[in-house]
Amino acid sequence: MRRRTWSREPEERPLRDVIGRRMGWILEGMTPRKFLNVAACVAQYSFRSERLLGWPIILKIDISPLCNLRCPTCVHGDPRGNPRLQDQSFRADQWMRLDQFEDIISEIRGKSTAVSLYYLGDPLMHPHLCEMCRIAREAHLNVHLCTSFSFTLTDDQVRELVKSGITHLTVCVDGLSQAKYELTRAGGHADWVLSNLERTCLFRRDRRQAHPRVEVQYIMFRHNVEELEPAARRFEALGVDEVTAFWGALHNYTDLDPGTYKVYGPRRRRALPWCYWPYLFMLIKYNGDVIPCCNHRVGAQYSAATDPRVIGNVFETSVRQVWNSREYRELRRLALNPGLIRSNEALESAFCNECPRLFNTSRDENLRSGHVYAFEDLYRVGENGVTRRLRVPEN
């Protein structure tokens, strides 16, 4: 079993760590055509192109934004405990149809290398998840899922997942004991997670499959860090392939949205664009709307009161048309030279405006790192089970 531990929280990890961790998504099943596509995307990022010949290397597809947990750091946190979450809007019918997913896969087949089937929801909430994985795998795409795995899955359901075509499965764990796990995984059950992990590895071994590769993402906090070593031994005994541990964050996603921090001005132009997302990846929401990344304006994407600033819809046009649309090209120009916003007022309404990658901001003041703050410093769990914020960062 491979192990790696990062001292930094997710927002602070450099590109080399992110790419290194996901290299398998890119390299496995590589064909000459896919290789040329990867090379084209990297070259056009290096040469600062606006219109791209290549296709997105990896598509992140939010097949459903729904989740069964109420994690206090997420947009699914209980709004009774955090007023910033009161505008979040989720409905039972928010999931991508199978035929819509097939259209996307048909278009990127043979060009993109992988699909990652989640964003703000848990992919296991989708009723046709296994069919989607099969469709993507039959198109020779690597298929990644990230889940809490806190579900009461039957043996048959676990077997279906194992043989569905998933190539990379990431399971998020915040502790071994229920008392520590449920602090940040509100509504979750550690024993369900361990049972599902054990049976996934067992059924994979029984079928003599190399996939899915199973990674446990152990998110460290001051209340669970002492369980990391026994947890790693437990995961190794279960047959997990890799354990990745890093310090988590205790702020809510909405604490990092524009309007919660000061913006001092654009960063200077440099040789390479400040952000690689508009050149390499695309994020498609369940309804076909496209946004350029998963790190900015997170709290706006399913808010009933905030503009998510989508840059196109693949169901109304196509992946290709959105990828080289005027809106996408403007974002690539802005990623190269954020100072353009001074001379182009239209860019003020762009998705990437006020992003800390492109602008000097005070956003880091809103970060609440798990190795600095204890859970009890920021939250209280009431008798009714609602996790309440004690303090909300202010601009």
Side-chain angles (χ1 to χ4, degrees):
M1 182 186 71
R2 182 180 181 183
R3 287 187 59 188
R4 69 175 109 192
T5 302
W6 286 318
S7 61
R8 287 177 276 197
E9 61 182 303
E11 288 86 356
E12 297 176 334
R13 290 203 298 268
L15 175 60
R16 65 176 180 275
D17 285 346
V18 176
I19 295 296
R21 185 181 173 202
R22 303 308 187 196
M23 190 58 70
W25 304 4
I26 298 173
L27 296 182
E28 290 184 19
M30 182 62 70
T31 64
R33 187 178 183 186
K34 291 180 183 178
F35 177 81
L36 289 175
N37 184 65
V38 171
C41 287
V42 173
Q44 289 171 128
Y45 168 72
S46 301
F47 288 111
R48 309 178 297 278
S49 303
E50 294 175 9
R51 184 181 294 274
L52 304 186
L53 297 175
W55 293 67
I57 297 173
I58 297 173
L59 265 72
K60 197 172 184 69
I61 305 178
D62 195 24
I63 57 175
S64 174
L66 304 180
C67 188
N68 61 326
L69 302 188
R70 287 284 194 177
C71 305
T73 61
C74 181
V75 292
H76 291 283
D78 198 315
R80 293 174 295 174
N82 186 346
R84 284 192 175 155
L85 299 175
Q86 293 176 355
D87 293 326
Q88 298 298 313
S89 178
F90 297 101
R91 306 182 313 274
D93 63 347
Q94 288 174 307
W95 43 272
M96 186 178 289
R97 296 199 316 264
L98 203 57
D99 62 305
Q100 294 171 328
F101 182 79
E102 285 183 296
D103 288 343
I104 294 172
I105 299 304
S106 176
E107 189 177 359
I108 66 172
R109 180 184 185 122
K111 298 176 280 286
S112 299
T113 65
V115 289
S116 186
L117 305 184
Y118 81 103
Y119 170 38
L120 293 177
D122 194 301
L124 269 68
M125 295 292 291
H126 199 290
H128 303 302
L129 173 62
C130 289
E131 291 95 326
M132 288 178 159
C133 293
R134 290 190 188 97
I135 290 168
R137 194 59 183 149
E138 287 172 0
H140 306 291
L141 290 160
N142 293 317
V143 183
H144 173 249
L145 302 183
C146 184
T147 175
S148 71
F149 234 12
S150 184
F151 294 83
T152 53
L153 301 178
T154 66
D155 285 353
D156 286 342
Q157 287 174 314
V158 176
R159 286 193 185 93
E160 283 300 305
L161 275 173
V162 169
K163 65 181 184 180
S164 67
I166 303 168
T167 57
H168 298 76
L169 175 67
T170 300
V171 178
C172 300
V173 181
D174 292 1
L176 276 184
S177 63
Q178 179 63 22
K180 296 181 183 297
Y181 173 84
E182 66 184 356
L183 288 181
T184 49
R185 297 289 169 180
H189 298 268
D191 55 340
W192 295 358
V193 178
L194 295 173
S195 172
N196 293 331
L197 263 176
E198 180 177 20
R199 288 179 294 152
T200 296
C201 295
L202 175 63
F203 296 154
R204 180 186 62 175
R205 185 172 65 247
D206 288 347
R207 291 177 58 84
R208 298 181 180 179
Q209 293 182 188
H211 295 118
R213 288 192 55 79
V214 180
E215 174 197 21
V216 167
Q217 185 173 274
Y218 191 97
I219 304 176
M220 298 184 294
F221 300 95
R222 287 166 63 177
H223 62 265
N224 72 0
V225 68
E226 75 277 5
E227 293 188 346
L228 174 58
E229 289 304 320
R233 293 193 294 271
R234 179 75 177 274
F235 300 143
E236 183 175 12
L238 294 180
V240 167
D241 299 296
E242 182 175 357
V243 174
T244 301
F246 55 82
W247 286 103
L250 288 169
H251 52 263
N252 190 272
Y253 291 156
T254 58
D255 296 336
L256 306 183
D257 281 345
T260 65
Y261 52 82
K262 295 181 176 64
V263 181
Y264 302 117
R267 296 183 185 273
R268 60 175 177 78
R269 178 171 179 156
R270 65 175 189 176
L272 289 177
W274 284 99
C275 183
Y276 52 83
W277 266 87
Y279 296 85
L280 306 180
F281 313 122
M282 174 186 281
L283 196 159
I284 303 174
K285 294 163 64 176
Y286 81 97
N287 60 359
D289 284 346
V290 173
I291 56 176
C293 84
C294 63
N295 301 312
H296 189 44
R297 302 187 185 277
V298 177
Q301 296 314 308
Y302 293 102
S303 168
T306 312
D307 180 8
R309 301 199 180 188
V310 301
I311 56 175
N313 186 291
V314 298
F315 298 154
E316 296 173 359
T317 56
S318 67
V319 172
R320 189 64 182 173
Q321 286 176 284
V322 174
W323 187 234
N324 274 320
S325 64
R326 174 182 57 82
E327 291 81 3
Y328 239 122
R329 297 198 307 273
E330 285 181 346
L331 294 187
R332 293 178 187 124
R333 284 196 292 272
L334 190 61
L336 174 63
N337 183 12
L340 288 175
I341 201 162
R342 293 181 174 133
S343 58
N344 187 346
E345 292 184 1
L347 291 176
E348 293 182 2
S349 62
F351 179 94
C352 301
N353 185 24
E354 301 185 345
C355 174
R357 282 184 180 267
L358 312 185
F359 295 82
N360 296 304
T361 76
S362 66
R363 192 197 70 158
D364 286 357
E365 296 176 8
N366 293 354
L367 299 177
R368 297 294 182 266
S369 302
H371 68 289
V372 175
Y373 292 86
F375 182 85
E376 296 77 14
D377 293 337
L378 303 174
Y379 299 96
R380 288 288 185 274
V381 180
E383 294 181 0
N384 57 1
V386 176
T387 302
R388 297 190 179 278
R389 286 283 293 271
L390 299 180
R391 295 188 298 275
V392 177
E394 297 180 359
N395 187 343

